[in-house]
Amino acid sequence: MPSLNDYLVLSALLFAIGAGGVFMRRNLITILLSIEIMLNAVNLTFVAFGRALGTADGQIIVFFVMTVAAAEAAVGLAIVIALFRHRESLNPDTFKALKW
Amino acid sequence: MTLFYLFAALAVVSSLLVIAQRNPIYSVLLLIASFGALSGLYVLLEAPFAAVIQIIVYAGAIMVLFLFVVMLLNAPQEDTEYDVRVHPLMRPGPLKFGAALAVLLAVELVWALSSAPPASAFGPLPEITVTTIGRTLFTTYAFPFEVTSLLILVAMVGAVLMARREEHSGERGKR
C-alpha cells in the first residue's frame, strides 16, 4: 500500500510541473492548462489527506475546487478570445499596452 | 503499489508532455490523459465521488471547453520563425530562470516531505459514501455551496460579457 507521503510527493511533482509550465510557456492556452495541472495537484493532496484522516471533507473541498476551476476556465478563456480578437496572437508578450 | 506507480508515472509523464507540446490541441488531449490517471489514483484512495467528478466535470466539461476554444481560435502554434527554430523549453534567458524555479520548488517540496516522519499505510476507512458526502455538503457546507452557485452565475455573466463581439462601432471607432 502506498503511504500518504507517496501521494504528497506525487502531488508536489505535479504542482512543480504546472508552475514550470506557467513560467516557461509563452502561449496563453498552455498557461491556463498549467494552472489546471496545479489545481489538480492540490486536489490530490486534499483527497489523500481526507483518506488519511478518514473524513469526507477532502472530497467535498475537491468539489469546490473543481467549481472554482470551471469558473476560472470559463472567464480565462473568454479573456483569451477577447485578446486574440484584438491582436491575432496568443503570446502574452504581445499584450504590453494597457490601452489601445 | 504497482497500480499507484503506474498511475503516478502516467500522470507525471503526460503532465510533462502537456507543457512540452507546441500544439495546444495535443496539450489538451494529454491533459485529459493525466486527469484519467488522477482519477485512477482517487479510486486507489477509496474516493469514488472525486474519481467520478474528475472524469465527468474535469475531463468531460472543462477540457471540452478548452478544446472548443483552441479549435475556435484556429491558432494551433506559436509559429514565428523563432518558435520553429528553438523549442519553447530550450530558450535562453528568463525561461531558464523559470525552469530553475520550478525545479527548486519540486526539490524543496520533496525534501520537506522526505524529512517528515515516515507515514504508515492508510488505516481502515470509515464508510464514506456519496450519501455521506451529499449530507455533509447540504448541512455543514450549505453556505459555501450556495456561494458557489453565485460564483458560477458571476462567471457565466463575465464570460458572456467578455467574449461578446462588439456590435456597435465602439467609442474609439475600433470596429
Side-chain angles (χ1 to χ4, degrees), chain A residues 14-24 34-35 37-38, chain B residues 98 101-102 105:
Chain A
L14 286 178
F15 192 90
I17 291 171
V22 171
F23 282 129
M24 286 184 277
S34 304
I35 294 173
I37 295 177
M38 287 197 278
Chain B
L101 275 183
L105 179 66

Side-chain angles (χ1 to χ4, degrees), chain B:
Chain B
M1 200 70 194
T2 325
L3 272 178
F4 172 77
Y5 280 123
L6 184 72
F7 286 133
L10 190 57
V12 168
V13 168
S14 52
S15 299
L16 273 176
L17 285 176
V18 166
I19 67 166
Q21 281 294 328
R22 210 180 269 142
N23 189 335
I25 290 187
Y26 294 151
S27 290
V28 172
L29 293 177
L30 281 162
L31 194 57
I32 291 175
S34 167
F35 287 169
L38 275 174
S39 172
L41 287 171
Y42 293 157
V43 171
L44 288 184
L45 283 167
E46 291 165 65
F49 176 69
V52 167
I53 62 171
Q54 174 82 16
I55 294 289
I56 294 178
V57 177
Y58 240 123
I62 301 182
M63 283 303 117
V64 169
L65 186 67
F66 268 95
L67 207 55
F68 185 73
V69 169
V70 169
M71 292 183 176
L72 178 76
L73 292 185
N74 197 20
Q77 317 214 355
E78 311 161 50
D79 48 358
T80 59
E81 277 292 311
Y82 183 65
D83 287 317
V84 173
R85 220 169 50 245
V86 188
H87 191 272
L89 296 185
M90 302 286 176
R91 285 180 201 157
L95 297 171
K96 286 268 193 296
F97 182 64
L101 275 183
V103 171
L104 189 68
L105 179 66
V107 168
E108 274 176 0
L109 285 172
V110 172
W111 174 79
L113 285 170
S114 56
S115 64
S120 55
F122 296 118
L125 186 69
E127 193 75 9
I128 294 179
T129 57
V130 180
T131 318
T132 326
I133 293 169
R135 194 161 285 141
T136 321
L137 198 58
F138 283 102
T139 53
T140 317
Y141 296 99
F143 181 66
F145 185 76
E146 297 300 331
V147 172
T148 301
S149 65
L150 192 68
L151 172 77
I152 289 184
L153 181 68
V154 171
M156 195 171 71
V157 173
V160 170
L161 202 68
M162 272 182 288
R164 186 182 50 137
R165 193 181 290 277
E166 292 158 41
E167 296 289 339
H168 55 81
S169 59
E171 305 96 275
R172 295 178 299 280
K174 179 73 193 165
R175 207 169 285 271

